[in-house]
Amino acid sequence: AGQCLVQSPSALVPAPPPEEMAAMLEGDVALDTWLLHQCGELLGMRQLSAHTLRSDAERSMLFLRDLHSILNQLREQRHASETGPTERETNVKILYEKVYRS
């Protein structure tokens, strides 16, 4: 009446012979080595991606600064000549907005 009906899986399966146990442990070491290598590769790729993203953001910021400066020069020229925006000013403004949104 007080007997447990559920047995642990290890109680149902006999222990493997020592030779098989050694092979299993070697397999575990190989698996651990492979997993560690794969994690290292993934980490390296993610670090490279983060570096590339930072470089892209920095380059975009510098380009936006240059475009802003060019737009200011074109606006000053327009105001000095009392004319409307030129096609170049319009195109630079569109480029600025597209780079800004990207």
Side-chain angles (χ1 to χ4, degrees):
Q3 187 178 16
C4 179
L5 300 175
V6 179
Q7 293 182 337
S8 70
S10 62
L12 300 175
V13 179
E19 300 83 27
E20 287 182 32
M21 184 63 83
M24 288 172 59
L25 290 175
E26 285 177 14
D28 286 348
V29 169
L31 177 61
D32 289 347
T33 301
W34 180 81
L35 289 171
L36 184 60
H37 175 74
Q38 294 301 314
C39 287
E41 290 286 316
L42 182 59
L43 179 60
M45 292 302 296
R46 289 189 176 174
Q47 288 173 339
L48 180 61
S49 294
H51 174 73
T52 302
L53 186 58
R54 278 192 301 273
S55 295
D56 178 58
E58 184 178 315
R59 181 67 187 109
S60 294
M61 183 183 68
L62 292 172
F63 187 47
L64 283 171
R65 187 189 66 197
D66 292 343
L67 287 172
H68 184 70
S69 176
I70 293 167
L71 275 172
N72 283 339
Q73 291 173 6
L74 292 171
R75 287 180 186 133
E76 288 173 10
Q77 290 172 2
R78 176 170 39 106
H79 290 303
S81 63
E82 298 181 4
T83 60
T86 63
E87 183 178 352
R88 173 171 277 162
E89 182 182 346
T90 302
N91 289 337
V92 171
K93 184 176 180 182
I94 291 169
L95 179 60
Y96 178 91
E97 291 170 356
K98 288 187 179 209
V99 171
Y100 180 80
R101 281 186 255 139
S102 71

